[in-house]
């Protein structure tokens, strides 16, 4: 069956006669804002918020009172900042003193001064304890496991609900998570805290699996990339806002940390009342429910015009090639065993692996040390880290404008090449400055950290979330998206388990591991990733030399010749 008409419609222009080339309309913008703020923002919050309250959650999870603390003044607040007693005890143990009776002298930056009994020399840090670090990382690992499960099971929800109802289901996991953390912190029940992390992780994994395809199916081809990048933008904003709310003068105290973790439920609560206003997926209305009348109503609303014939023809064409009638979503095993979806699946998985193993977590790990070496007092480093979060948001906003001008492939590959160079420079700077503590070298390191964040934010940040929906037919879209996310979370779980050990063993040379990862991903994507900017799915299949799908068969057994 010829697909030339569908491909020929995807030309550049003002979109006045072709609904697939319409720009961003008011209802598309409203729909994307509601979908992302109530899902990916929540996920970003869940990623960042716990790090702001570690001083309180660590003693809490050990059955101790989070408010059994030393009181220290915070540099930018009139309030006092509570420092858990367990931290003071550990510091005391390192100095060989009794944490309950010893008094530590504080320098002007609020840091513990050198113990008078140490002859003016600081004590050597304790050896790296892999088991201890593993235990500390349990809440984050549970969160990632929840996200992993959410990514696997996310497509199943789309089979039993339409896309809009699936988002309602997603809200339930956020509500349950917030309730658990409030009850856990209020009644001193650590197991409820762990359960809250599992539930919020599930919410995030499920959101990443179901929301980007939803946005893809309601967007026109002309602005599909920009709309899809909004998912990552909302996630980065969630991270930034969580960092701000976690400051001591807002929620970063032993009395308020539970609310600081849980208050994000207010966004899905608003979503319950406004989500019903937005259109549903026209692709799903036609392909799954054979409800073309509702699809036309939704398309007219989304495109801001009564002439939506071009979109209808494109959806009908895809539905006919799928099987001539109702489109049934394929399961993950079906996608894995079908040659027809091999290259869309592989490139989506590699993109998600590239994001997880890009080293962005390692860069953020070293950022505090670089800020300290650049001469920033320790008490102000949290604010410097918030500054990096703000730069991440701004760079993602820039990507919204670049993604439809430069295309997806260029925005992924060229910044990754720059990241390889940045890793090499950071390796040299970290190792050379480890013992010298030179402020100028520390400042240069900060500049390269910010350059890395910008490179990540414009390409590897948003594009892996939207790419899978652009190269997959509707029936495989959710499962391929899910497989990519599974790869992402496996990569992140492995890093959360082994990065502390590798960092302890290798120091600054740990960046060289990420050089190898990034270089391998660049080589693969250079040859196997098609450009998807304003392109049809048929274009991607022609790039991979995938035979046209037989409409009389659900799965094509022939092998792709790419």
């Amino acid at each position: 069956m010829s697909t030339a008409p569908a491909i020929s419609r995807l030309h550049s222009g003002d979109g006045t006669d072709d609904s697939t080339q319409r720009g961003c309309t008011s209802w598309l913008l409203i729909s994307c804002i509601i979908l992302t703020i109530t899902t990916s923002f929540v996920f970003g919050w869940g990623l960042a918020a716990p790090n702001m309250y570690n001083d309180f959650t660590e003693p809490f999870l050990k059955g101790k009172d989070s408010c059994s603390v030393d009181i220290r003044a915070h540099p930018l607040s009139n309030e006092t900042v509570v420092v858990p007693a367990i931290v003071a005890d550990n510091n005391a143990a390192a100095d060989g003193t009794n944490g309950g009776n010893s008094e530590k002298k504080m320098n002007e930056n609020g840091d513990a001064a050198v113990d008078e009994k140490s002859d003016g020399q600081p004590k050597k840090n304790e050896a790296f304890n892999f088991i201890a670090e593993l235990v500390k990382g349990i809440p984050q690992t549970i969160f990632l496991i929840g996200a992993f499960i959410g990514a696997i099971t996310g497509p199943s929800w789309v089979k039993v609900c339409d896309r809009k109802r699936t988002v309602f289901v997603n809200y339930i996991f956020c509500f349950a998570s917030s309730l658990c953390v409030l009850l856990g912190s209020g009644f001193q029940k650590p197991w409820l805290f762990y359960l809250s992390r599992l539930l919020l992780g599930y919410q995030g994994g499920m959101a990443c699996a179901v929301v980007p395809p939803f946005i893809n199916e309601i967007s026109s081809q002309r602005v599909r990339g920009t709309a899809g990048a909004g998912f990552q933008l909302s996630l980065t904003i969630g991270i930034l806002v969580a960092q701000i709310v976690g400051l001591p003068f807002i929620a970063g105290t032993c009395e308020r940390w539970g609310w600081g973790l849980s208050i994000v439920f207010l966004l899905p609560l608003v979503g319950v009342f406004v989500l019903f206003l937005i259109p549903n997926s026209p692709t799903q209305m036609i392909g799954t429910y054979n409800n073309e009348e509702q699809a036309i109503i939704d398309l007219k609303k989304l495109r801001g015009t009564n002439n939506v014939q071009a979109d209808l023809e494109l959806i009908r064409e895809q539905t006919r090639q799928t099987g001539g009638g109702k489109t049934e979503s394929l399961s993950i095993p079906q996608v894995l065993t079908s040659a027809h979806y091999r290259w869309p699946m592989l490139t989506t998985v590699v993109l998600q692996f590239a994001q997880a193993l890009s080293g962005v977590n390692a860069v953020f790990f070293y950022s505090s040390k670089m800020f300290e070496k650049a001469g920033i007092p320790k008490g102000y480093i949290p604010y410097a880290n918030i500054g990096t979060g703000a730069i991440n948001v701004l760079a993602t906003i820039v990507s919204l404008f670049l993604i439809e001008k430069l295309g997806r492939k260029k925005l992924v590959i060229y910044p990754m090449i720059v990241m390889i160079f940045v890793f090499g420079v950071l390796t040299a700077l970290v190792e050379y400055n480890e013992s010298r503590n030179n402020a100028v070298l520390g400042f240069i390191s900060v500049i390269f950290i910010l350059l890395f964040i910008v490179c990540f934010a414009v390409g590897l940040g948003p594009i892996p979330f939207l790419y899978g929906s652009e190269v997959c037919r509707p029936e495989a879209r959710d499962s391929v998206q899910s497989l990519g996310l599974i790869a992402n979370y496996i990569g992140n779980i492995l890093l959360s388990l082994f990065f502390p050990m590798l960092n302890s063993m290798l120091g600054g040379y740990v960046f060289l591991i990420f050089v190898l990862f990034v270089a391998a991903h660049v080589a693969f994507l250079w040859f196997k990733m098609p450009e998807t900017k304003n392109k049809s799915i048929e274009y991607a299949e022609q790039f991979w030399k995938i035979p046209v799908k037989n409409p009389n068969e659900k799965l094509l057994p022939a092998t792709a010749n790419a």
Side-chain angles (χ1 to χ4, degrees), residues 147-156 205-206 208-210 213 330-338 341-354 356 464-465 467-469 472 475-491:
F148 180 87
I149 298 171
I152 292 176
T153 60
S156 300
M206 178 185 173
C208 291
V210 302
L330 300 177
S331 65
I332 289 177
Q334 285 177 302
V335 170
L336 288 173
T337 56
S338 171
Y341 307 108
R342 182 174 301 157
W343 284 113
M345 181 269 295
L346 281 176
T347 50
T348 300
V349 166
V350 170
L351 262 180
Q352 291 284 2
F353 252 133
F465 289 112
Y467 171 83
S469 298
C472 292
E475 72 276 8
R477 196 165 284 159
D478 296 302
S479 290
V480 168
Q481 185 81 2
S482 179
L483 286 166
L485 292 168
I486 290 170
N488 190 304
Y489 297 136
I490 287 175

Side-chain angles (χ1 to χ4, degrees), residues 324-462:
K326 183 177 179 179
T327 302
E328 295 183 2
S329 295
L330 300 177
S331 65
I332 289 177
Q334 285 177 302
V335 170
L336 288 173
T337 56
S338 171
H340 192 87
Y341 307 108
R342 182 174 301 157
W343 284 113
M345 181 269 295
L346 281 176
T347 50
T348 300
V349 166
V350 170
L351 262 180
Q352 291 284 2
F353 252 133
Q355 186 190 79
L357 302 179
S358 64
V360 65
N361 292 330
V363 169
F364 276 112
F365 180 89
Y366 269 98
S367 63
S368 294
K369 180 182 288 188
M370 294 300 101
F371 290 141
E372 184 180 346
K373 289 183 182 294
I376 299 175
K378 284 187 178 180
Y380 292 84
I381 286 177
Y383 297 88
N385 285 327
I386 288 174
T388 64
I391 290 174
N392 192 17
V393 171
L394 293 174
T396 306
I397 292 174
V398 171
S399 75
L400 298 182
F401 299 95
L402 295 179
I403 202 165
E404 297 296 354
K405 293 183 180 296
L406 300 181
R408 290 37 153 178
K409 190 170 183 177
K410 290 180 180 178
L411 275 182
V412 166
I413 290 179
Y414 293 141
M416 288 176 72
I417 294 173
V418 176
M419 287 160 62
I420 293 173
F421 168 74
V422 169
F423 277 137
V425 174
L426 283 177
T427 299
L429 288 172
V430 169
E431 284 300 309
Y432 184 79
N433 205 29
E434 182 66 27
S435 59
R436 292 167 177 79
N437 292 322
N438 184 285
V440 174
L441 292 178
F443 181 75
I444 295 173
S445 300
V446 170
I447 292 176
F448 277 95
I449 284 175
L450 298 181
L451 175 60
F452 177 91
I453 292 171
V454 170
C455 290
F456 177 86
V458 300
L460 274 181

Side-chain angles (χ1 to χ4, degrees), residues 513-533:
I513 296 176
F514 297 107
V515 168
L516 298 177
F517 285 147
V518 175
H521 290 131
V522 166
F524 179 88
L525 295 172
W526 182 280
F527 294 104
K528 290 301 181 182
M529 179 183 177
E531 178 55 64
T532 59
K533 183 190 76 170

Side-chain angles (χ1 to χ4, degrees), residues 206-217 228 231 465-466 469 481:
M206 178 185 173
C208 291
V210 302
V211 174
F214 192 177
I215 293 174
N216 175 275
E217 290 175 3
F231 185 87
F465 289 112
L466 63 94
S469 298
Q481 185 81 2

Side-chain angles (χ1 to χ4, degrees), residues 153-224:
T153 60
S156 300
W157 291 104
V158 182
K159 290 183 178 181
V160 297
C161 308
D162 61 38
R163 292 209 180 274
K164 201 154 65 168
R165 288 191 178 94
T166 301
V167 177
F168 278 115
V169 173
N170 185 262
Y171 294 165
I172 295 174
F173 292 96
C174 177
F175 297 148
S177 173
S178 293
L179 180 61
C180 285
V181 76
L182 285 174
L183 292 175
S185 61
F187 294 99
Q188 296 295 308
K189 301 293 184 182
W191 69 270
L192 284 173
F193 178 85
Y194 288 122
L195 179 59
S196 75
R197 296 300 294 156
L198 184 70
L199 290 170
L200 199 59
Y202 187 94
Q203 178 276 332
M206 178 185 173
C208 291
V210 302
V211 174
F214 192 177
I215 293 174
N216 175 275
E217 290 175 3
I218 64 175
S219 304
S220 69
Q221 250 99 0
R222 185 181 176 189
V223 295
R224 187 177 57 195

